[in-house]
Amino acid sequence: MTIYALVDGNSFYASCQIAFQPGLVNRPVVVLSNNDGCIVAANQIAKNLDLQHIKTNSMGSGGYHAATPDSMMFQPFFKVAPLLKRYNTAVFSSNYELYADMSQRMHAISAQFATRQEIYSIDESFLDFTGMPKESLHSHALALKKRIAQWIGIPVAVGIGHSKTQAKLANHLAKTNADGVLDLTQMPESALDALYKKVKVGKVWGIGKRLSEQLINQEIKTVYDLKSANSKTLRKRFSVNVERIALELNGQACFDFHEKPDNKQNIVSSRSFGQNVLDFTTMREAVSSYTATAAAKLRKQQSTCQALTVFINTPRYQTHLAQYQNQYTLPLIYPTDSTILLTKIALRALQHIWYEGYEYQKAGVMLTNIQTKTNLQPDLFAPNPQYSGNPKSDNLMKALDNINQKMGKNTLQLASSGLQKNRWQMNRNLMSKRYTTRWEELLKAYAG
DNA sequence: TCTGGGGTCCTAGGACCC
DNA sequence: TCTGGGGTCCTAGGACCC
């Protein structure tokens, strides 16, 4: 029987900031989303701040994240700014370069503690603990936790179970455990049931707000209720996925390990603008720039795409402004990974949906119909049947990627991306140094 | 003044075919 | 003078995740 462990960095982004400014450890710390828009990470002290007066209407019903009463998360920054200030909170703009580098280090350490690892997100990985002596699982996890703390200064929690869902749940519960580790595999059935009875069904991985409401309507209120529900009924009333989740809670693994990350089936690059965009020239630059980012991601996974979508919209929360949103998809005759070609297509798609007179807040580019380059299916009936990649373009793109990787993003770019990005680029007014990836931003220590 | 970005999977429904 | 039933493929939208 496979044993799964889930390692998860506590308030990961906030912990990354604290790791380099240990003086913050006793202060509330929050990290903002792109554009300094809302809060995406908060340490426990910040989470404990009194949110009474800001609980209402956090992101509106159309938001990605419903506000949960206990959470500072996803509150618009401007709404909580006065409260944060009152409590002397350290506020940071997102510093993705720093978090990505710290993430790699954390995952590398975790990998040393298991035969297999699945990197699930920037701050989480599943580990395979199968075959380890049962009584030592807990101490093994503690050793892992200790090493990550010592080597990179990030606190983690570890959950252990017979399925991914159990490991996720154990991890969630471990966060409030004294030592930050919880092993469900060593728990007798009765103890497990007693524990499950105390946890709300919405805490289960894969049960979001909507499903949780629907389950509660059917008298399935706790993890125990879900675990003991009839699995065929669950499939009929909800979905095959809910059925699987229930089985997983029973210790029957339905979701496999994925050691190698799958190639993306869709690649999106989109951003909110630092300030609303009114003119086509500026919008062209933004769309060109997002296309370049998406195309670089595409080449990184050695794929091509055969369709591209551009979307633009006005700010939905600024209700006094005229609202408009639209998207347009263009198929390509040949699969490609060329920034030059994709940019042409993207700008053509933009022409289709652009209307003068609106204040635009966001734009994005999505690449779809993605295929890996190695199993490209050339279209025999296309006018140019021998096409299966274009060596000249491939070399050019390779050179572009190499230079940008070595010298920094946007060292080399198309003229259509523009040089005055400050007209639309996001605000990050509170960014810390990139301690681990830039020589000139290294931490300095003074002796004497 | 100020509300993120990037993914996956599933399902329902329409178009089309026999 | 009758308006079935089954199948596939595609797309849009919903729900979930971090």
Side-chain angles (χ1 to χ4, degrees):
Chain A
M1 211 177 195
T2 310
I3 294 180
Y4 297 82
L6 181 75
V7 189
D8 173 321
N10 301 346
S11 316
F12 185 67
Y13 296 173
S15 296
C16 288
Q17 300 296 158
I18 295 167
F20 292 91
Q21 288 173 254
L24 297 176
V25 74
N26 292 317
R27 276 172 60 188
V29 176
V30 300
V31 177
L32 307 179
S33 66
N34 278 334
N35 233 4
D36 293 347
C38 60
I39 293 179
V40 292
N43 68 351
Q44 197 55 51
I45 303 172
K47 281 178 183 156
N48 291 344
L49 294 181
D50 179 22
L51 286 172
Q52 284 308 321
H53 53 298
I54 51 164
K55 272 181 195 170
T56 51
N57 191 28
S58 99
M59 275 191 74
S61 53
Y64 302 106
H65 302 276
T68 53
D70 63 331
S71 116
M72 165 73 73
M73 305 292 276
F74 306 109
Q75 297 289 342
F77 175 48
F78 73 93
K79 279 194 182 177
V80 287
L83 176 77
L84 297 177
K85 191 161 185 194
R86 198 174 328 137
Y87 290 94
N88 190 28
T89 306
V91 180
F92 293 95
S93 297
S94 66
N95 187 342
Y96 193 79
E97 200 169 309
L98 175 67
Y99 311 145
D101 185 68
M102 293 294 278
S103 164
Q104 271 190 17
R105 292 165 195 253
M106 182 173 83
H107 290 322
I109 298 168
S110 300
Q112 296 171 352
F113 283 77
T115 49
R116 292 195 294 164
Q117 177 186 41
E118 173 185 336
I119 293 173
Y120 177 67
S121 76
I122 192 162
D123 71 328
E124 288 175 52
S125 70
F126 287 104
L127 299 177
D128 188 347
F129 275 9
T130 313
M132 215 160 280
K134 289 205 163 174
E135 58 286 355
S136 69
L137 287 175
H138 192 103
S139 52
H140 190 64
L142 276 179
L144 162 59
K145 186 179 150 67
K146 191 176 159 196
R147 188 176 297 177
I148 293 177
Q150 271 179 352
W151 287 15
I152 62 170
I154 300 289
V156 303
V158 185
I160 302 167
H162 280 124
S163 63
K164 284 182 167 180
T165 305
Q166 276 194 345
K168 284 283 284 187
L169 188 67
N171 179 280
H172 170 74
L173 299 170
K175 296 212 160 135
T176 49
N177 231 20
D179 63 6
V181 173
L182 181 63
D183 177 8
L184 296 184
T185 65
Q186 291 306 290
M187 226 176 248
E189 187 80 8
S190 57
L192 197 59
D193 284 351
L195 184 64
Y196 278 3
K197 280 178 189 172
K198 285 191 273 184
V199 185
K200 289 183 187 151
V201 72
K203 297 291 181 191
V204 175
W205 185 42
I207 305 296
K209 186 166 174 274
R210 287 299 164 87
L211 272 175
S212 153
E213 275 168 18
Q214 292 169 20
L215 285 164
I216 290 167
N217 281 339
Q218 311 265 343
E219 293 298 311
I220 298 173
K221 296 175 178 166
T222 67
V223 179
Y224 175 78
D225 296 338
L226 183 57
K227 178 208 159 185
S228 22
N230 179 283
S231 77
K232 297 295 160 233
T233 313
L234 287 176
R235 182 201 287 242
K236 220 167 96 188
R237 290 203 186 144
F238 299 96
S239 68
V240 56
N241 212 39
V242 174
E243 181 192 20
R244 290 195 183 127
I245 289 168
L247 291 172
E248 286 237 324
L249 287 171
N250 278 295
Q252 183 180 330
C254 302
F255 307 128
D256 285 338
F257 238 91
H258 292 278
E259 282 184 85
K260 251 183 58 192
D262 295 334
N263 278 344
K264 311 276 182 229
Q265 300 173 40
N266 303 300
I267 291 175
V268 179
S269 172
S270 81
R271 287 280 181 283
S272 296
F273 303 130
Q275 45 190 303
N276 292 345
V277 164
L278 287 90
D279 65 298
F280 188 66
T281 312
T282 308
M283 182 63 95
R284 271 179 60 105
E285 289 184 9
V287 167
S288 296
S289 179
Y290 301 158
T291 307
T293 303
K297 286 188 203 170
L298 184 68
R299 291 192 295 272
K300 197 169 178 194
Q301 67 170 42
Q302 291 170 21
S303 300
T304 59
C305 70
Q306 216 172 340
L308 176 151
T309 304
V310 171
F311 56 91
I312 53 178
N313 54 256
T314 53
R316 66 192 146 135
Y317 296 107
Q318 293 175 38
T319 44
H320 60 284
L321 292 176
Q323 297 289 313
Y324 171 70
Q325 56 178 24
N326 209 345
Q327 63 181 65
Y328 197 80
T329 302
L330 280 174
L332 284 81
I333 302 171
Y334 309 114
T336 188
D337 67 352
S338 156
T339 298
I340 296 171
L341 182 55
L342 289 169
T343 303
K344 278 185 197 157
I345 302 288
L347 294 179
R348 202 184 303 160
L350 175 62
Q351 292 273 13
H352 276 271
I353 50 175
W354 169 266
Y355 282 99
E356 198 80 33
Y358 291 106
E359 292 199 25
Y360 294 96
Q361 178 242 0
K362 182 174 177 176
V365 173
M366 175 154 67
L367 308 180
T368 51
N369 281 8
I370 289 175
Q371 289 181 284
T372 54
K373 270 188 138 175
T374 46
N375 43 1
L376 255 186
Q377 303 279 328
D379 181 352
L380 291 177
F381 301 100
N384 181 9
Q386 74 275 24
Y387 182 95
S388 61
N390 174 339
K392 209 170 139 193
S393 160
D394 281 357
N395 288 335
L396 180 57
M397 288 302 119
K398 207 169 279 174
L400 181 129
D401 290 336
N402 283 338
I403 290 172
N404 284 339
Q405 205 203 327
K406 245 180 232 162
M407 317 286 289
K409 215 184 157 199
N410 296 333
T411 302
L412 207 59
Q413 58 171 27
L414 299 191
S416 55
S417 296
L419 294 171
Q420 303 194 342
K421 296 191 162 60
N422 52 342
R423 278 179 297 166
W424 52 273
Q425 259 186 353
M426 61 177 167
N427 303 315
R428 284 153 113 192
N429 300 321
L430 305 162
M431 196 162 91
S432 72
K433 292 183 174 174
R434 293 162 291 190
Y435 303 100
T436 60
T437 53
R438 302 276 168 148
W439 288 110
E440 64 277 16
E441 299 182 23
L442 268 180
L443 211 54
K444 295 187 183 83
Y446 296 95

